[in-house]
Every structure is written in C-alpha cells, then in structure tokens.
C-alpha cells in the first residue's frame, strides 16, 4: 500500500482537490490511503475563532465561522451534486453546529483550555476530508472515508499530543484496510486520547499522521504532496535561488525540519526511520517535476541545506562556583525538565552555560529556579540558523566560509560537533533572512 498526504494548499480549492484526486487515482492499483490537511488557512481561522470566543468576543468568532462555512460549502457545491451534495452538506453542517456550540461554551466561560482548543482545531481536517471523499465518489472512485480519531491514539498533552504507538498500530491494522482499486481517505493532524477525547499532534502534524499510518501499515512509500518541489536547499520564500535536493537522509531531513524547514513536520521522520520506508516530498502543481526522496542514507558529503527558525530565546547562567565543580549542569537541566521546556542548543564555558529555548511559556519559573544556581541573563528575539549536511567538519574550510558569508551578522552562539550533520548559529531574529541568503549565495550559487 501507499500513503499520499496532501497539505492545506493541495486541498485549498475545488481545482486543487481535483488535482490531488488526479494524483491519488493514478495510484489506485497500489492501495492508496489519502491523508489530508484542512484547506489552507482553515486552521489559522479556527485559531482566531478560539481566541475570539475565549476572550468573550462571540460575534467575532461567529463571523469567522460564517466565512469558513461559506467557503467550504461553496467548494463542495463546485465538486458534488444531487443526493451526495445534500448528504455531504449535512455532514459539514453538523461539524459547523459542533463548532458553534464550542464557541458558545468558550464565550460563556471566557477561557480556553488546550483540550477545547484541540476540539476546535480538529474540525478543519474533518471538513476537508468530507469534501475530498465526496468528490472522489462523485468521480466514480470507490472511496471509504475514515475518522482518524478511531485509530490514532495519543497521550493527553493537548495541542501537541504524542502518539501511543502500541495502541495506534493495533487499531490502525484492525480498522484501516487498504486494497487495490479503492481509495481510503483519512484526516491528518487529529487523534483521540485513551479516555476518548479529541487531540491534535501539533501544528503541521498531518505529515506525522502520514508516516504513523505508513509505518503501521508497512507502506512501500509515503508521499508528502505540498506546494514546493520537495525539500530545497533553503526556504524558497526566503531564497529565490533555492533548488530541490534529490536525496536526503532521514537524519538530515529531521534536523532541517526541527530547525525551521516547515516543509515536513519535525516528527515525520521518526516512524519512517524505524521501518525504513522512503518518504517522498512532491509538488501537487508539478507532479512530474523535481522531488525529494528521504532515505536511510544519502550519498555525498558537504552542505545540503540551510534552515532558519525565529522565536528563539537564549538563557545564560553563570557562576564562579561552577569552576572545578560538578553537578551544575544536572541542576540546570533538571530545571528545564521540571518546567517541561526542551532545550535546543547548548554552549558551555568553565563558568557559564548558554542554552536556547523556543517555548517560553515556562520562562518565569525557569528563571526563578536558575537564579538559585547562578546569575541569569535572558536574550529574546533571536533566531537559529541550521546548516545541514553529512560530515560538514571534514572540509577544513567550511567554518571559515560560514564566517566569511556572515561577515555582517553578529553571531550570538555556535554549536558544531554534537552531530556529524549540523552546524547551528544563533543570530538576532531581524538578521535571519539576510544571513540565510548570504550563506546560500556563498555555498550554493558558486557551485559549492
Ligand atoms: P503543507 O500545507 O503542504 O503542509 P507547508 O506550508 O506546511 O505545506 O510547507 C511547505 C512550505 O515549507 C513551503 O511553501 C516553503 O515555503 C516552506 N519551506 C521552508 N523551508 C523549506 C525547504 N528547505 N524546502 C522547501 N520548502 C520549505
Ligand atoms: N491543519 C493543521 C495545521 O495547519 C495540520 C497540517 O496542516 O499539517 O497546522
Ligand atoms: Mg505542513
């Protein structure tokens, strides 16, 4: 079997839904499972609905709902007719009625828990897949619409829930039955906890759903269909000259995704690594054009791509008591563990430690605890640039070239050596784009 995941832009209109189904129907003999995101901008609108309702601005929330309803119904009407249109419109109406009662509840309480947030955000994928499945049937494709919540089991960390693999694999194998000649359609992004509550895997999580399902069903391939020609040497929105990387290793792709290349969700690679399934990244508007294949091992050494991520905060802890002492680092990391905040990059000297975080929700508590250990200083509004490639350090001139390209950029921190495949730099957020362009020019435009 094969998993085909279509992102938000790939299902954003009647025309794009038909393109996605053209692609899916060309794979019918390979027992395809189509995983779809919400139509582009829907999840952002649901976030706006949640925030407005939670702040008691019910009218505003209802206005956004009305616009989303009109958009979804219009798209459906362009694609489906007759009884199927009636039945699917009723399905959409039920979902909008559910959204409407969630708005009422939040507006009354004037608060929004992560749990109700997930209930709201999950509706985007339920809407888009209802339309996609109805259109597939309309085109005469034997189709089965599934509800991913019936088989994606997660923990209860709402808004960024993690899959419980044992239960998920068992349920997927019991309930999802791919077969040649049939199209299965399922939602990305959403799941359910063991106590039956709707959860989501975090923004961009539909890619993750695709590889979770691919691994459980031993797919021969997972294809991520999106709006760019695969994973490129840099974000094409930042670097116009970026070009497609034909083959990239799981490790390199994971590193890029984690440090800002949102073309695949950071967790996507994990289920694929364990089963060795190739993951392809392709462009729905250019199905035969350049694409990327993510595989166990990709040939070649040297720089493969440059990613960047804003919203980074740097925390410095210094104490002369660190001199010749042990136990400081473990106390520092225990603090981050206590506040459930992941640390990305670390640099240490004899008397100080610097760390980056991107989730600042626990920052106050972290600072209070760290102040027990040493002097604490915080720098906000930073960005990480991540240069990814196999054995980067083997080319002695590599680091020199990085510094030459970044001549004008104040570098706040560097991390090289913790893995063979990445050099990371921390720079002020407002210099990120220019720095990435300068690096790309230096390494890729000169044929390097
Ligand atoms: P989808 O809705 O299909 O999941 P996303 O918007 O999540 O698509 O991801 C695709 C976007 O990722 C592209 O439009 C591009 O701007 C961005 N992107 C960032 N870094 C890269 C990269 N290295 N290669 C390709 N795209 C990238
Ligand atoms: N619709 C969700 C989001 O916008 C999940 C996804 O698109 O992957 O974050
Ligand atoms: Mg995405």
């Amino acid at each position: 079997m094969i998993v085909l995941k279509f992102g938000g832009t790939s299902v954003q209109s009647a025309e794009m839904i038909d393109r996605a189904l053209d692609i899916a129907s060309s794979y019918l003999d390979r027992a395809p499972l189509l995983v779809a995101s919400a139509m582009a901008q829907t999840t952002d609108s649901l976030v706006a609905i949640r925030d407005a309702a939670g702040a008691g601005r019910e009218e505003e929330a209802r206005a956004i709902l009305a616009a989303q309803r009109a958009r979804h119904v219009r798209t459906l009407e362009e694609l489906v007719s007759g009884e199927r249109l009636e039945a699917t419109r009723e399905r959409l109406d039920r979902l909008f009625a559910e959204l409407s009662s969630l708005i009422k509840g939040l507006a009354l309480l004037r608060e929004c828990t992560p749990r109700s947030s997930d209930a709201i955000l999950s509706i985007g994928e339920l809407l888009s897949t209802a339309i996609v499945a109805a259109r597939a049937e309309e085109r005469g494709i034997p189709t089965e619409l599934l509800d991913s919540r019936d088989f994606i089991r997660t923990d209860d960390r709402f808004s960024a829930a993690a899959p419980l693999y044992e239960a998920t694999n068992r349920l997927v194998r019991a309930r999802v039955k791919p077969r040649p000649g049939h199209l299965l359609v399922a939602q990305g992004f959403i799941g359910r906890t063991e106590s039956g509550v709707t959860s989501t895997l975090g923004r961009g999580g539909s890619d993750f759903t695709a590889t979770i399902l691919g691994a459980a069903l031993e797919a021969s391939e997972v294809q991520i269909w999106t709006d760019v020609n695969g994973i490129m040497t840099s974000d094409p929105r930042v670097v116009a000259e970026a070009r497609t990387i034909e083959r990239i290793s799981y490790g390199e792709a994971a590193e890029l995704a984690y440090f800002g290349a949102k073309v695949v969700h950071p967790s996507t690679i994990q289920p694929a690594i364990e089963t060795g399934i190739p993951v392809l990244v392709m462009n729905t508007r250019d199905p035969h054009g350049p694409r990327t294949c993510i595989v166990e091992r990709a040939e070649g050494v040297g720089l493969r791509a440059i990613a960047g991520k804003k919203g980074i905060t740097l925390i410095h802890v210094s104490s002369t008591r660190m001199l010749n002492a042990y136990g400081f680092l473990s106390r520092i990391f225990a603090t981050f563990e206590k506040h459930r905040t992941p640390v990305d990059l670390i640099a240490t000297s004899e008397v100080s430690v610097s760390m980056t975080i991107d989730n600042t929700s626990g920052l106050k508590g972290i600072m209070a605890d760290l102040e027990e250990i040493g002097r604490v200083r915080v720098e906000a509004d930073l960005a990480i640039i991540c240069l990814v490639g196999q054995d980067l350090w083997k080319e002695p001139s590599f680091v020199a070239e990085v510094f030459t390209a970044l001549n004008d950029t104040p570098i706040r921190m560097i991390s090289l050596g913790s893995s063979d495949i990445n050099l990371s730099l921390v720079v002020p957020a407002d210099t990120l784009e220019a720095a990435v362009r300068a690096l790309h020019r230096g390494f890729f435009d000169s044929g390097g």
Side-chain angles (χ1 to χ4, degrees), residues 25 34 50 53 62 70 108 114 127 178 194 222 258 268 278 301 304 321 346:
S25 49
L34 187 161
R50 172 199 74 191
R62 291 200 181 284
L108 273 173
L127 291 166
E194 282 183 306
V222 172
Y258 190 76
T268 310
V301 293
R304 193 93 70 188
R321 282 182 290 153
I346 306 161

Side-chain angles (χ1 to χ4, degrees), residues 5-10 37-38 40 204 206-207 224-238 242-245 256 260-265 281-282 284 292 305-308:
K5 179 262 172 177
F6 291 91
T9 44
S10 301
S37 294
S206 296
D207 304 323
I224 310 273
W225 289 89
T226 183
D227 61 353
V228 281
N229 283 96
I231 301 182
M232 312 187 74
T233 48
S234 215
D235 185 346
R237 287 187 207 180
V238 176
R243 48 181 191 259
T244 300
I245 302 166
L256 277 177
K262 91 182 236 267
V263 60
V264 287
H265 181 275
V281 184
M282 302 194 253
T284 310
T292 299
I306 307 164

Side-chain angles (χ1 to χ4, degrees), residues 24-317:
S25 49
S26 74
Y27 286 101
L28 271 184
D29 56 339
R30 289 177 70 183
L33 164 57
L34 187 161
V35 174
S37 294
M39 293 171 75
Q41 277 103 47
T42 305
T43 312
D44 287 342
S45 297
L46 292 167
V47 167
I49 288 178
R50 172 199 74 191
D51 291 347
R57 301 193 306 273
E58 191 174 339
E59 285 310 305
E60 184 184 329
R62 291 200 181 284
I64 309 171
L65 178 149
Q68 282 303 321
R69 183 173 184 284
R71 175 195 186 197
H72 282 83
V73 170
R74 197 180 340 108
T75 308
L76 178 69
E77 286 168 350
E78 284 177 51
L79 292 170
V80 179
S81 59
E83 279 177 25
R84 187 171 292 118
L85 171 61
E86 290 316 313
T88 315
R89 196 159 40 199
E90 270 171 36
R91 188 188 266 273
L92 301 190
D93 277 340
R94 281 196 297 276
L95 290 166
F96 281 110
E98 205 179 309
L99 181 56
S100 173
S101 30
L102 284 162
I103 292 176
K104 184 153 222 79
L106 293 193
L108 273 173
L109 291 171
R110 295 212 174 209
E111 69 164 4
C112 180
T113 59
R115 179 177 160 151
S116 11
S117 172
D118 276 2
I120 292 181
L121 299 200
S122 69
I123 287 174
E125 270 68 10
L126 292 165
L127 291 166
S128 66
T129 47
I131 300 174
V132 169
R135 176 58 179 172
E137 282 175 355
E138 185 89 0
R139 286 174 53 159
I141 305 168
T143 305
E144 186 185 349
L145 174 61
L146 306 167
D147 185 330
S148 294
R149 293 172 300 180
D150 293 342
F151 40 82
I152 302 286
R153 266 312 142 269
T154 74
D155 63 17
D156 59 2
R157 286 173 47 204
F158 296 104
S159 85
L164 303 173
Y165 282 104
E166 235 181 80
T168 299
N169 289 342
R170 184 169 34 80
L171 289 165
V172 170
R173 286 169 200 147
R175 302 195 178 188
V176 184
K177 301 284 180 200
R179 48 209 182 276
H182 282 73
L183 178 66
L184 304 184
V185 177
Q187 304 76 27
F189 184 53
I190 68 173
R192 196 175 269 148
T193 66
E194 282 183 306
S195 49
V197 184
T198 297
S199 55
T200 72
L201 303 174
R203 293 303 305 269
S206 296
D207 304 323
F208 192 18
T209 308
T211 51
I212 294 171
L213 293 173
L217 296 165
E218 294 174 17
S220 56
E221 206 168 277
V222 172
Q223 301 184 349
I224 310 273
W225 289 89
T226 183
D227 61 353
V228 281
N229 283 96
I231 301 182
M232 312 187 74
T233 48
S234 215
D235 185 346
R237 287 187 207 180
V238 176
V239 180
E241 299 76 25
R243 48 181 191 259
T244 300
I245 302 166
E246 266 174 50
R247 287 167 76 80
I248 188 167
S249 71
Y250 289 135
E252 292 168 323
E255 206 79 51
L256 277 177
Y258 190 76
F259 287 107
K262 91 182 236 267
V263 60
V264 287
H265 181 275
S267 305
T268 310
I269 309 301
Q270 181 194 323
I273 293 182
E274 278 155 30
T275 44
I277 299 173
V279 178
L280 272 74
V281 184
M282 302 194 253
N283 189 344
T284 310
R285 286 185 183 278
D286 184 16
H288 304 291
R291 75 265 314 270
T292 299
C293 190
I294 313 176
V295 287
E296 224 164 313
R297 228 178 294 277
E299 310 70 29
V301 293
L303 188 64
R304 193 93 70 188
I306 307 164
K309 175 162 130 178
K310 288 189 179 170
I312 301 297
T313 299
L314 188 55
I315 304 176
H316 307 274
V317 186

